Amino acid sequence: MLKRTFEILRVVITIALVVVACVYAGIKLMKIQIVDGEMYLSMSRSSTSAEKTVYAARGEIVDRNGVELVENEVSYNVIIEYSFFPSDYETQNEIILRVAEILSEDGIEWIDDTPITFSMPYEFSDNATDSEISKIKDELRLNSYATAENCIDRLIENYEISDDYTEEEKRIIAGVRYMMLIGDFSTSIDYTFATGVPIETVSKIRELSGDLDGIDILESYERVYALGDVAPHIVGYVGPVYAEEYAELKAEGYLISDTIGKSGIEKAMESILRGTNGTNIVTVDSDGVVTESVSEEVEPGNTVMLTIDSDLQQACQEILENHISYLRDGILTKTDSSTNQELDFSDCEAGAIVVLDVKTGAVLAAATSPTYDINDLLEDYNSVLNADGSPLYNRAFDGLYRPGSVMKTVTATAALAEGIIDITTKYTCSRRYNYLDITVNCTGSHGSINVVTAIQKSCNIFFYQVIQEVGLDLFLEYETAYGLGEDPGLEISASSGYLASPDTFVNLGLEWTSGQLLQAAIGQSEVAVTPLQMAGIALTIANGGVRYKPYLVDSIWDYNMTECLEETEPEIAYVIDADYDEVFAPIIEGMILAGESTTSATYYASNETNAFLAQFSTDALPDKVAIKTGTPQASNTATQNSTVIGFYPADDPEIAFAVVIENGEYAKYTVRKIIEAYYGWTTEEVELENGMMESVIVTD
């Protein structure tokens, strides 16, 4: 009986519990449907939102006249938006592979900087750096001794890349996965799959958008080097953000898909050119309607105006290359007076020209030969890197040369400024000169001459005697005053060079001897300066001792060049405190006489060689030119370089210039051409009264 009572009680309790549960469920359902019905209806109709980066246009680079050297063109990027990308790896992998196939069909490369080869057996890429290899191992949490195969296997495992794919397909997916990993792919950072995609491919991807969830097309900008062969060493170029530098750059707001300045002005002015990306909010409603609103405005980069004149730059490049060609091809020849043998200039293949604004220090032209086109560099870096003559070497700013007799202007400055000599002081040159236990020679027997004639005739023995009075310490002070052996402070890389001294000899592992002081006075010994620094010597003399700091950036403008935001003010780097009439006037007089001696005023067409040389005659210029030439020995070899510095017009200078010809001669023959190019003058042949022809300059 008791047992039956317990059974009935258990049934009643169970029924009661069921009833209570049903009542509770009913009340809960009523709350959901009636009390909170509107809220849940709204939630069912809620939208999905995501941030979308709007890329800023990079500022352009123009020459001093506004001619575009670097500009932008609209391009298209294929991106993956995190918020709309499927959540499961299987579907994601299918979409990644499908997009890669579309790009591959059209010959488009997608971003894959994974430092592993694309085919089995997998190895770390030949060009992969140690830091890149270490990074992939760290990101995948592998030991330091892990192989490339281990890395691919870990990516396949982590992202569930199916064995149904071919090995090639697995590698494609794994590479994209790794790039997404290091690119911090997230709700706030889209992944850029490919850049610079043509509109035809864009159309294909858009047509398949219904099957490619998360894939979108983003309008961007592609860097275009409109005049890629104009001052490429100065302009520079942009490149991708490499994985090894991303960790540092992302703190500055860069994305792994961004481009960044790699050299030249593109690198030096990165913060000015870059601009600031904007952000839009993309919202997709439950019914599929897409809306987009601006969250942060995009700010394009600012435009950089250079001091370079693109016309003058191109002209100087042509002048330089033509001169080298004349020497190499035997059009310009010279006979060695000591052997009576014609000199061989077949190895002449390089040089540099620098032109400065005397009144400001602005660099108007800086030509280097051999040179290159930035577009060729970006298309095939190794071919330019390995080309004959090292075209990537910026000889104008980084090339280190003995200046030769150009240095005699500095020696003269030290002696005149310190009162050691004056314009009446004379030394005798008998072609040979004995100093202690050595005998040194001169280019001629000049007799008793003063500093003016010594500069005009480039007499070595005059300056051998002068430097003994000046001394090394004082001489070094004046070399430094002229900016030699000093960092020029240019916006881009430029060598400081070095000066002949006991310390320099120790650094070079050489022994300093007493005769080195004499050689230093005439620009020999172990002194190395750049063409830019040589042009600075000419500028300083032209200004009576005022040396301006050279610069390349004229001004900063807004993107559309409607407003000048900043303008470079000329900066005096140093002033040689010396009386103009007593110090610089004699030096300039000697340089003017040297200019008049460049070539004879008149050559006739009856002599083919002389007719050719007529085009180089500085006597044909409307005003006098001041120059100083040099023929320095090149790097302790029997080979000689040729140098010239100068300014024009001599009585009211506007430009200063320097030219270096490696393994060559007659740098002075470029002077007239440089001046003509600056003023836009042309050369014509006119008939003289005797029926002969003369080369003249047309200035109108």
Side-chain angles (χ1 to χ4, degrees):
M1 182 69 178
L2 184 60
K3 182 178 178 181
R4 180 174 176 79
T5 300
F6 276 118
E7 288 179 356
I8 293 172
L9 182 59
R10 187 170 57 186
V11 170
V12 170
I13 292 172
T14 301
I15 293 172
L17 290 174
V18 171
V19 170
V20 170
C22 289
V23 170
Y24 176 79
I27 293 171
K28 190 71 174 176
L29 182 61
M30 183 183 299
K31 184 176 187 299
I32 292 172
Q33 291 181 331
I34 299 175
V35 179
D36 298 330
E38 288 297 323
M39 181 186 72
Y40 285 104
L41 178 62
S42 176
M43 289 176 62
S44 70
R45 295 175 179 173
S46 65
S47 57
T48 302
S49 297
E51 291 184 350
K52 182 177 181 179
T53 300
V54 181
Y55 289 100
R58 190 175 178 85
E60 298 185 340
I61 301 176
V62 301
D63 83 342
R64 67 186 299 108
N65 300 310
V67 176
E68 291 181 334
L69 303 177
V70 187
E71 53 190 337
N72 300 306
E73 283 185 358
V74 174
S75 66
Y76 299 95
N77 296 347
V78 178
I79 67 168
I80 302 177
E81 295 177 303
Y82 185 93
S83 299
F84 304 116
F85 204 38
S87 58
D88 63 292
Y89 287 153
E90 181 180 354
T91 308
Q92 289 179 358
N93 293 338
E94 291 175 2
I95 292 173
I96 289 171
L97 184 60
R98 183 68 185 111
V99 173
E101 289 173 343
I102 295 170
L103 294 171
S104 181
E105 288 168 3
D106 289 356
I108 309 301
E109 294 185 358
W110 57 91
I111 297 173
D112 187 350
D113 294 329
T114 309
I116 296 175
T117 56
F118 286 91
S119 57
M120 298 182 69
Y122 296 118
E123 301 288 346
F124 291 114
S125 305
D126 291 339
N127 60 350
T129 64
D130 291 340
S131 60
E132 288 175 321
I133 295 172
S134 296
K135 182 176 179 60
I136 190 171
K137 293 177 183 179
D138 291 342
E139 291 286 352
L140 299 177
R141 301 183 184 281
L142 293 170
N143 293 320
S144 59
Y145 51 79
T147 65
E149 190 84 34
N150 296 148
C151 294
I152 293 295
D153 288 342
R154 177 59 62 88
L155 286 165
I156 291 172
E157 177 187 352
N158 287 356
Y159 294 101
E160 302 175 9
I161 301 174
S162 172
D163 285 337
D164 292 337
Y165 293 119
T166 66
E167 293 302 327
E168 181 183 2
E169 290 170 339
K170 289 179 183 178
R171 174 60 182 83
I172 290 172
I173 298 169
V176 174
R177 284 297 192 179
Y178 178 65
M179 297 307 297
M180 294 169 73
L181 173 64
I182 64 174
D184 296 328
F185 181 51
S186 62
T187 54
S188 59
I189 300 179
D190 297 331
Y191 173 69
T192 301
F193 202 111
T195 61
V197 179
I199 191 65
E200 297 80 8
T201 307
V202 167
S203 299
K204 290 181 183 180
I205 293 174
R206 282 176 171 163
E207 288 174 4
L208 298 171
S209 59
D211 298 324
L212 301 174
D213 292 343
I215 301 298
D216 198 5
I217 302 298
L218 188 66
E219 190 175 281
S220 185
Y221 297 91
E222 185 175 357
R223 207 64 165 157
V224 176
Y225 294 91
L227 297 175
D229 59 347
V230 174
H233 303 87
I234 293 173
V235 172
Y237 60 93
V238 296
V241 172
Y242 298 123
E244 60 190 42
E245 59 185 351
Y246 178 61
E248 179 179 346
L249 289 173
K250 71 178 179 180
E252 301 176 28
Y254 285 89
L255 304 175
I256 190 68
S257 57
D258 280 341
T259 57
I260 188 171
K262 296 295 184 180
S263 70
I265 290 296
E266 287 277 33
K267 179 179 180 180
M269 305 301 290
E270 172 67 21
S271 61
I272 300 297
L273 293 164
R274 180 186 174 196
T276 304
N277 292 340
T279 305
N280 285 1
I281 303 298
V282 179
T283 302
V284 180
D285 293 333
S286 58
D287 56 5
V289 176
V290 179
T291 58
E292 191 168 337
S293 60
V294 176
S295 174
E296 295 180 23
E297 290 284 354
V298 63
E299 296 181 14
N302 294 320
T303 291
V304 174
M305 176 177 282
L306 301 180
T307 59
I308 295 292
D309 182 317
S310 58
D311 288 339
L312 179 61
Q313 174 71 24
Q314 288 177 302
C316 286
Q317 192 69 47
E318 184 177 353
I319 292 166
L320 181 62
E321 291 174 353
N322 283 345
H323 188 83
I324 291 170
S325 178
Y326 296 153
L327 290 167
R328 192 172 55 237
D329 297 341
I331 298 174
L332 285 174
T333 62
K334 185 177 182 180
T335 301
D336 187 331
S337 59
S338 62
T339 64
N340 204 33
Q341 296 292 316
E342 188 174 284
L343 297 177
D344 180 8
F345 297 126
S346 59
D347 290 336
C348 179
E349 61 176 20
I353 294 176
V354 174
V355 183
L356 303 178
D357 184 325
V358 166
K359 306 301 183 184
T360 65
V363 180
L364 303 178
T368 288
S369 181
T371 187
Y372 64 95
D373 189 310
I374 297 172
N375 297 298
D376 294 337
L377 182 74
L378 296 176
E379 184 176 342
D380 189 351
Y381 181 87
N382 286 330
S383 67
V384 177
L385 175 66
N386 298 319
D388 293 341
S390 303
L392 291 180
Y393 183 36
N394 185 357
R395 287 172 164 83
F397 296 161
D398 288 323
L400 292 177
Y401 305 94
R402 290 171 175 161
S405 294
V406 164
M407 185 68 86
K408 292 172 182 174
T409 59
V410 179
T411 308
T413 303
L416 290 165
E418 295 297 325
I420 295 170
I421 65 170
D422 59 30
I423 197 168
T424 65
T425 305
K426 293 185 177 182
Y427 290 99
T428 300
C429 168
S430 301
R431 196 177 185 90
R432 295 183 185 280
Y433 181 71
N434 296 317
Y435 175 70
L436 299 178
D437 58 345
I438 61 174
T439 300
V440 288
N441 300 319
C442 192
T443 55
S445 181
H446 299 116
S448 179
I449 58 174
N450 69 354
V451 67
V452 174
T453 305
I455 290 175
Q456 176 196 5
K457 302 293 185 181
S458 199
C459 177
N460 291 344
I461 290 176
F462 180 93
F463 290 99
Y464 289 155
Q465 296 176 80
V466 165
I467 197 64
Q468 294 176 62
E469 300 294 329
V470 172
L472 177 62
D473 291 341
L474 197 56
F475 181 52
L476 288 171
E477 285 183 24
Y478 278 87
E479 286 181 299
T480 302
Y482 270 103
L484 307 181
E486 299 281 302
D487 182 351
L490 208 60
E491 292 90 337
I492 67 173
S493 171
S495 179
S496 299
Y498 51 85
L499 304 176
S501 69
D503 288 343
T504 296
F505 271 62
V506 169
N507 292 335
L508 296 175
L510 302 173
E511 181 181 356
W512 175 265
T513 60
S514 56
Q516 295 302 328
L517 177 60
L518 273 61
Q519 294 303 313
I522 63 168
Q524 299 285 4
S525 187
E526 293 306 323
V527 57
V529 300
T530 66
L532 174 64
Q533 291 172 322
M534 291 187 212
I537 295 174
L539 176 146
T540 306
I541 295 170
N543 286 324
V546 177
R547 174 166 61 89
Y548 283 97
K549 176 183 175 182
Y551 62 98
L552 288 165
V553 176
D554 174 86
S555 50
I556 307 298
W557 295 70
D558 65 351
Y559 183 77
N560 295 313
M561 291 198 70
T562 57
E563 180 184 359
C564 182
L565 306 176
E566 183 181 340
E567 193 168 2
T568 302
E569 291 293 331
E571 180 182 340
I572 295 176
Y574 195 86
V575 177
I576 299 175
D577 187 12
D579 183 86
Y580 179 88
D581 291 334
E582 293 181 0
V583 176
F584 296 103
I587 295 172
I588 293 171
E589 183 181 350
M591 293 176 71
I592 291 173
L593 291 172
E596 292 175 347
S597 304
T598 299
T599 57
S600 178
T602 305
Y603 288 94
Y604 298 111
S606 58
N607 183 304
E608 184 177 345
T609 300
N610 286 346
F612 174 75
L613 292 176
Q615 64 181 303
F616 307 125
S617 172
T618 55
D619 291 347
L621 294 168
D623 295 290
K624 293 184 182 298
V625 61
I627 69 168
K628 183 69 196 80
T629 60
T631 53
Q633 188 179 18
S635 304
N636 290 320
T637 68
T639 306
Q640 286 188 326
N641 295 333
S642 180
T643 61
V644 66
I645 65 169
F647 49 88
Y648 183 87
D651 59 348
D652 186 16
E654 292 186 27
I655 59 170
F657 49 82
V659 182
V660 175
I661 305 297
E662 293 184 22
N663 304 328
E665 182 57 280
Y666 304 123
K668 62 186 178 182
Y669 285 175
T670 64
V671 170
R672 172 173 156 182
K673 294 293 186 181
I674 293 170
I675 294 168
E676 287 178 356
Y678 173 75
Y679 288 101
W681 297 336
T682 57
T683 301
E684 292 184 4
E685 300 297 321
V686 298
E687 187 172 356
L688 302 176
E689 292 181 2
N690 57 10
M692 299 301 180
M693 305 294 291
E694 183 180 6
S695 173
V696 300
I697 295 174
V698 179
T699 60
D700 293 326

